[in-house]
Amino acid sequence: MSKAHAPDTDPVDLAVRLRVAAHPRLAGVLLPPLPPGLPMPLRDGRSASLWPAGEPVSPDDPDAAPWEEAARLLARLHAVPPAELPGPLPPMRGPAKAARAVARLLMTTPDAQATAKTGATTKTCAATNTGADTNTNTTTDAPIDTGAATNPAYVPEAAATVLRAWRALPPWARGEAPSPRAALCHGDLHLGQLVRYPAPYGPWLLIDVDDLGLGDPAWDVARPAAWYATGLLAPDLWQRFLDAYRAEGGSAVRPEGDPWPELDVPARALTIQAAALALAKAAAAHRAPDEVEQVLLDACARMTDPPAPTAPDRTT
């Protein structure tokens, strides 16, 4: 298979990523490229690379999704010492892609900047707490009921909610500062990034090294964590994934106990990224957010909601 990479792909960084995928330390973890294992220029200026064809995850059988296999592959990827690999390794591109999603949203809804500065927030349907505390205490303004869930005219307010949640993240999660950790990361983990090779019954391997690089390994674990926290992933699937990652010695989270101290920031960032892309698509189509998109917007709203008042302490 030939893959044409995005126009903004740096061919030098891509060459390093391809060499890493072909390195013996990643055997059994990453699908290696075919020879020559280097970026090849296309006529339109993009780079291309060659890969063996694998068998992807079937969307028709969600119960057979390889959650545990994905977790174990991530744990093994994170355990590879970067110093043993070809370099210099570029940064993992997860935070940069999240920033690009927010920039796309702002291009689609230019009024969001001004709306965000006013402190007004879109009142959305509160979802139940599914395991992640998403309150950041970044604003104390009372929510304004704008009807954003049903009226596309209120997209700027919804976009402002996403933007406020984005601004509450630390600089590293917005791609504005180095990551606090520097492990080898995939950068864009989801089930579409796994194939069986040799097809159709070979072992599962990770594919797509476009975002591979140095960063916080919690970013790779945070997408299923974010899906779980927003109610889009069943608790048992999340627990299976987390247990398999820990059993394989994964370094992104502590070996036992609450994983959210490590996962909270990247899970927020990935939720905001998904919400920004979803809202940009809805705005471009002049439609209201659908049910899943609204779930993501609700999550962003909770990130900036003021804390609920506590009852007076009557014991004193």
Side-chain angles (χ1 to χ4, degrees):
M1 296 179 63
S2 176
K3 176 175 181 177
H5 298 268
D8 63 346
T9 299
D10 185 321
V12 176
D13 288 348
L14 178 59
V16 173
R17 291 178 168 118
L18 292 174
R19 290 199 298 272
V20 169
H23 196 273
R25 288 293 271 114
L26 276 306
V29 178
L30 293 174
L31 183 72
L34 293 173
L38 294 171
M40 299 174 293
L42 298 175
R43 292 182 179 179
D44 62 2
R46 292 183 297 169
S47 295
S49 54
L50 297 176
W51 301 86
E55 183 76 14
V57 176
S58 172
D60 300 325
D61 190 5
D63 292 336
W67 289 105
E68 288 92 345
E69 290 85 351
R72 287 190 283 268
L73 288 170
L74 276 185
R76 292 168 59 191
L77 179 77
H78 296 161
V80 176
E84 297 181 11
L85 299 173
L89 278 168
M92 178 264 291
R93 296 204 319 151
K97 290 182 70 173
R100 192 164 60 211
V102 172
R104 176 179 172 183
L105 174 62
L106 292 177
M107 290 177 62
T108 308
T109 58
D111 292 339
Q113 287 276 14
T115 307
K117 292 178 182 178
T118 68
T121 60
T122 301
K123 186 174 182 181
T124 52
C125 302
T128 57
N129 186 345
T130 55
D133 177 10
T134 53
N135 177 29
T136 59
N137 293 333
T138 58
T139 179
T140 57
D141 299 299
I144 296 174
D145 188 356
T146 62
T150 56
N151 192 338
Y154 293 106
V155 164
E157 285 85 355
T161 298
V162 176
L163 182 58
R164 274 191 294 275
W166 175 251
R167 289 173 173 169
L169 294 174
W172 76 265
R174 301 195 304 262
E176 299 171 0
S179 170
R181 292 195 277 178
L184 179 64
C185 301
H186 183 274
D188 188 28
L189 189 279
H190 53 80
L191 291 181
Q193 306 288 39
L194 286 92
V195 297
R196 285 189 180 276
Y197 182 78
Y201 303 116
W204 290 105
L205 297 172
L206 291 171
I207 62 170
D208 190 357
V209 297
D210 286 46
D211 302 312
L212 186 84
L214 296 178
D216 189 336
W219 195 278
D220 286 342
V221 182
R223 179 169 274 121
W227 291 339
Y228 158 67
T230 54
L232 298 175
L233 181 67
D236 65 310
L237 293 180
W238 160 243
Q239 197 61 51
R240 283 167 48 191
F241 178 88
L242 179 62
D243 289 348
Y245 182 81
R246 282 173 158 169
E248 195 71 16
S251 61
V253 297
R254 58 200 63 191
E256 57 185 19
D258 184 9
W260 287 103
E262 293 84 17
L263 295 178
D264 181 67
V265 168
R268 291 175 190 244
L270 285 162
T271 300
I272 294 165
Q273 175 183 339
L277 290 173
L279 191 55
K281 292 177 181 177
H286 303 287
R287 61 170 176 81
D290 63 25
E291 183 178 359
V292 172
E293 292 165 343
Q294 189 61 44
V295 167
L296 297 169
L297 294 173
D298 289 343
C300 291
R302 292 196 301 274
M303 293 179 198
T304 54
D305 277 346
T310 56
D313 185 354
R314 302 185 185 280
T315 63
T316 58

